[in-house]
Amino acid sequence: MIDILSKARITAIGTYVPEKKLTNNDLEKIVDTSDDWIVQRTGMKERRIAAENEFASTLAFKAIENLVKQYEKDVSDVDLILVATTTPDYAFPTVACQIQEKFKIKQTGAMDINAACAGFTYGLHIANGLITSGLHRKVLFVATETLSKVTDYTDRTTCILFGDGAAAVLIEKDEENPSFIVSHMGSNGDGGKHLYRTNLSTTMDGQMLSASEKMVQNGREVYKWATRTLPSNMKELLLQAELQPEDINWFVPHSANLRMIESICEKSGFPFEKTLTSVEFMGNTSTVSIPLALQIGINEGKLRNGDTLLMYGFGGGLTHAGLIIKWSVDDVGR
Ligand code: UT7
């Protein structure tokens, strides 16, 4: 971790989730499961599912439109479009290029990144770095997923978890009031076999993988890794920021599973009441789960400008990334 004073601020946020709901009762009709089991093991009640003709790009466009509307923002002059997704419409062109075309953004770089469920925290770290270094001044960063399209609805251990959605944030140059305090990224490739979706290759470390092109997860292994990894990494972030857990207004972890979040809170000394989550009514939306939790926090009047947040993403790869930021979006008189 390098100590550099940030020159970037998150100025606006917009989100979108598809209309169709998939409840625990719906899942009881698809696989051998129960509302009780799902609530007890994950805390989930519902998820949102994209329509057949809705893709990562479609959801992304709507999240951006919401951002523009709510914060009265102009995105025609952004100089980088960054998209975090594991479920792009195409391998290429990227969702970022589809956004460039849709919003007629004239002079911009455009690229997708794939850090699985850590995509949002990876992307914020990257966007801050690019603006702080002076290479860019206005980054449109979008997280978008249609996980339902790659979920195996015959596998009860995974199909109960995932949902769809999108979120957009605008990150702009602001030396006076930067958002970013500290951040880091990490990875543990040896755990890649615990959460994957095959593509051109169907082997890993010489072992055959499922070739179905649906997502495969060894939930137990990912659970153990995340609840072991996060508490020490969060401690490291706090140390670097010279903050104590009580200085953090909201802990915003990847909303993978409420029980997991309870365990991480317990191990790292964060009161569970001070977490923002989206898992209950959105399920696990991978890279979108953290910004959806932020949006819910705003809607419920919990998250306010001036609050200090610790966000931590983790997922397939295995990847992880965390940030401590000061929440300070534009005030548009609401
Ligand atoms: O976003 C990317 C990162 N992903 C994660 O963070 C996921 C982390 N893992 C998890 O959230 C949890 O491991 C799961 C929710 C996926 C599973 O919960 P668990 O408490 O780890 O259950 P388990 O896999 O150890 O299974 C326990 C039992 C098994 O039965 P037996 O062998 O004890 O008889 C499973 O067959 O629960 C059974 N089971 C189910 N029963 C009813 C598994 N899935 C279901 C189900 N309904 N949907």
Side-chain angles (χ1 to χ4, degrees):
M1 285 192 288
I2 307 164
D3 209 356
I4 298 173
L5 220 50
S6 169
K7 295 177 182 169
R9 181 167 66 88
I10 300 169
T11 60
I13 182 170
T15 58
Y16 176 77
V17 290
E19 277 174 29
K20 186 180 167 194
K21 291 179 184 173
L22 181 68
T23 66
N24 293 351
N25 292 337
D26 295 332
L27 284 162
E28 284 174 348
K29 296 179 192 120
I30 301 172
V31 285
D32 179 16
T33 191
S34 65
D35 177 50
D36 272 359
W37 192 95
I38 300 173
V39 171
Q40 212 176 60
R41 303 281 179 133
T42 71
M44 293 175 191
K45 295 179 179 130
E46 288 175 9
R47 318 103 197 103
R48 297 300 182 100
I49 303 295
E52 231 169 88
N53 62 352
E54 274 185 314
F55 295 95
S57 64
T58 334
L59 306 186
F61 297 163
K62 289 184 173 156
I64 297 166
E65 281 161 2
N66 285 338
L67 176 151
V68 166
K69 205 162 53 200
Q70 287 161 22
Y71 288 86
E72 298 160 13
K73 284 287 183 185
D74 176 15
V75 293
S76 67
D77 62 343
V78 302
D79 58 3
L80 178 64
I81 304 163
L82 194 61
V83 172
T85 183
T86 56
T87 49
D89 308 26
Y90 317 108
F92 49 87
T94 58
V95 176
C97 281
Q98 292 175 273
I99 291 171
Q100 183 273 324
E101 162 62 10
K102 168 83 177 170
F103 292 90
K104 305 289 178 216
I105 301 171
K106 285 197 187 77
Q107 279 272 296
T108 186
M111 66 173 169
D112 289 5
I113 58 166
N114 178 348
C117 306
F120 187 71
T121 45
Y122 258 69
L124 286 183
H125 177 93
I126 294 167
N128 173 41
L130 290 172
I131 292 176
T132 297
S133 70
L135 281 175
H136 289 267
R137 56 171 176 78
K138 190 170 180 182
V139 178
L140 177 61
F141 173 41
V142 184
T144 181
E145 296 289 6
T146 52
L147 294 164
S148 64
K149 296 188 195 293
V150 298
T151 295
D152 177 358
Y153 284 99
T154 65
D155 174 6
R156 69 175 180 172
T157 63
T158 56
C159 76
I160 54 140
L161 300 172
F162 296 101
D164 302 333
V169 288
L170 201 59
I171 304 143
E172 299 182 68
K173 186 164 182 175
D174 186 343
E175 295 185 44
E176 305 301 313
N177 186 23
S179 300
F180 298 84
I181 300 171
V182 290
S183 63
H184 67 206
M185 306 193 288
S187 55
N188 291 96
D190 61 340
K193 58 185 171 294
H194 298 314
L195 181 48
Y196 68 85
R197 183 161 81 90
T198 51
N199 190 11
L200 298 179
S201 172
T202 51
T203 59
M204 195 184 291
D205 303 331
Q207 304 289 308
M208 276 307 291
L209 302 173
S210 162
S212 76
E213 294 192 9
K214 298 288 184 197
M215 193 178 0
V216 177
Q217 177 173 253
N218 182 340
R220 262 291 95 192
E221 286 301 323
V222 180
Y223 192 108
K224 281 193 285 185
W225 167 77
T227 51
R228 209 176 42 231
T229 306
L230 262 67
S232 57
N233 288 352
M234 290 156 59
K235 210 171 179 178
E236 207 178 295
L237 279 177
L238 286 167
L239 209 65
Q240 206 204 353
E242 296 177 359
L243 293 173
Q244 301 297 323
E246 49 273 25
D247 297 321
I248 303 296
N249 298 95
W250 299 106
F251 171 43
V252 198
H254 166 40
S255 264
N257 177 333
L258 213 57
R259 304 303 156 235
M260 218 168 154
I261 295 172
E262 283 166 351
S263 161
I264 292 166
C265 281
E266 203 174 301
K267 288 183 183 175
S268 50
F270 279 99
F272 179 70
E273 307 72 60
K274 283 173 74 177
T275 57
L276 297 177
T277 61
S278 57
V279 66
E280 298 89 330
F281 293 96
M282 299 297 157
N284 177 343
T285 51
S286 183
T287 188
V288 193
S289 84
I290 290 178
L292 282 183
L294 297 174
Q295 185 70 68
I296 293 168
I298 294 168
N299 296 349
E300 291 179 350
K302 291 177 175 170
L303 176 56
R304 290 159 190 269
N305 274 353
D307 285 352
T308 303
L309 312 182
L310 194 160
M311 299 191 250
Y312 217 107
F314 57 88
L318 300 167
T319 55
H320 61 89
L323 305 100
I324 297 180
I325 67 160
K326 180 78 74 187
W327 187 252
S328 180
V329 288
D330 281 2
D331 186 356
V332 283
R334 272 165 299 122

